[in-house]
């Protein structure tokens, strides 16, 4: 039995070889409002998989705020699987600060839900810090998918890599806003942004608004 409001704070202080799996099953018009805080200590490593699943056909609601700190020489991946049913709403906000020689990877597998809203504020702050964000999605029926990802290169030789792949059919709609921001002082940094969408009907709508901001040579 879970509370409807959860705050989960995790401190990673060593290297974990196996992924850590967190499941939440929704039923009976269930809802969840949660905050997940993960602090990767120096030279630590851990992979997390969060799986949100509907086990009945009622309408469900999931709202998540995530905050991650990757301290020096740490490595981590966080995978979110949205396997709610077709009536449900899924809203997620991803936030991180990655320090020197550290790497954080986000993976979002977005399968179902009538309304899906995603936002990120990802900051590669330290020297040779790395942020990777991978998102795949499927839109169908009258689904609405709203994506707004902001990735900042702040540290020298930092890397940001944003990759979004999706497919739309029926009357589904998607809007993608992706920002790669080269902040002054981030010399020798790299920013990559890819967004591809396959349209399988004449009535689905895909809008893409990629943005590149550069304050550094």
């Amino acid at each position: 039995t879970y509370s409807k409001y959860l705050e989960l704070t995790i401190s990673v202080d060593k290297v974990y070889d196996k992924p850590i799996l967190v499941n939440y099953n929704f039923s009976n018009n269930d809802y969840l409002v949660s905050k997940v805080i993960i602090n990767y200590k120096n030279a630590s490593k851990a992979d997390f998989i969060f799986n949100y699943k509907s086990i009945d056909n009622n309408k469900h609601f999931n709202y998540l705020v995530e905050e991650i700190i990757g301290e020096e020489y740490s490595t981590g991946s966080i995978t979110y699987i949205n396997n709610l049913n077709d009536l449900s709403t899924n809203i997620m906000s991803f936030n991180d600060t990655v320090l020197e020689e550290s790497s954080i990877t986000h993976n979002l597998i977005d399968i179902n839900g009538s309304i899906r809203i995603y936002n990120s504020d990802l900051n590669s702050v330290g020297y040779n810090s790395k942020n990777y964000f991978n998102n795949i999605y499927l839109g169908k029926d009258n689904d609405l998918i709203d994506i707004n990802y902001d990735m900042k290169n702040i540290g020298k030789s930092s890397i940001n890599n944003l990759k979004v792949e999706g497919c739309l059919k029926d009357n589904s709609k998607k809007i993608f806003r992706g920002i790669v921001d080269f902040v002054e002082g981030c010399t020798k940094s790299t920013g990559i942004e890819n967004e591809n969408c396959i349209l399988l009907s004449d009535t689905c709508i895909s809008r893409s608004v990629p943005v590149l901001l550069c304050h550094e040579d």
Side-chain angles (χ1 to χ4, degrees), residues 13-28:
D13 56 4
K14 63 179 182 179
V15 174
Y16 291 85
D17 294 328
K18 295 182 179 180
I20 300 166
L21 179 61
V22 180
N23 286 308
Y24 194 98
N25 293 327
F26 289 77
S27 63
N28 299 321

Side-chain angles (χ1 to χ4, degrees), residues 150-151 153 160 162 178-182 191-193 211-213:
D150 186 354
M151 306 182 76
N153 291 85
N160 282 328
L162 174 60
I179 302 172
V180 175
D181 186 359
F182 292 92
I192 300 172
E193 180 178 354
V211 175
L212 172 65
L213 303 177

Side-chain angles (χ1 to χ4, degrees), residues 115-216:
I115 299 175
R116 289 169 261 170
I117 301 172
Y118 302 111
N119 180 75
S120 80
D121 181 16
L122 308 178
N123 300 282
S124 297
V125 174
Y127 171 79
N128 199 31
S129 56
K130 303 176 182 70
N131 254 312
Y132 301 94
F133 200 108
N134 305 303
N135 182 183
I136 59 173
Y137 64 85
L138 170 64
K140 60 186 182 300
D141 300 325
N142 293 303
D143 292 351
L144 172 62
I145 303 172
D146 191 310
I147 299 170
N148 182 42
Y149 295 149
D150 186 354
M151 306 182 76
K152 294 182 177 68
N153 291 85
I154 298 173
K156 294 181 179 179
S157 299
S158 60
I159 296 174
N160 282 328
N161 194 330
L162 174 60
K163 185 176 183 180
V164 179
E165 303 276 352
C167 180
L168 298 176
K169 64 178 185 176
D170 305 322
N171 296 312
S172 58
K173 297 180 178 64
K174 178 229 68 182
I175 182 166
F176 164 83
R177 307 172 196 86
I179 302 172
V180 175
D181 186 359
F182 292 92
V183 178
E184 185 174 351
C186 69
T187 57
K188 299 183 179 179
S189 292
T190 301
I192 300 172
E193 180 178 354
N194 288 298
E195 194 265 341
N196 295 291
C197 182
I198 298 175
L199 306 181
L200 298 180
S201 75
D202 294 331
T203 53
C204 61
I205 296 174
S206 173
R207 296 186 177 94
S208 297
V209 188
V211 175
L212 172 65
L213 303 177
C214 189
H215 306 275
E216 182 57 65

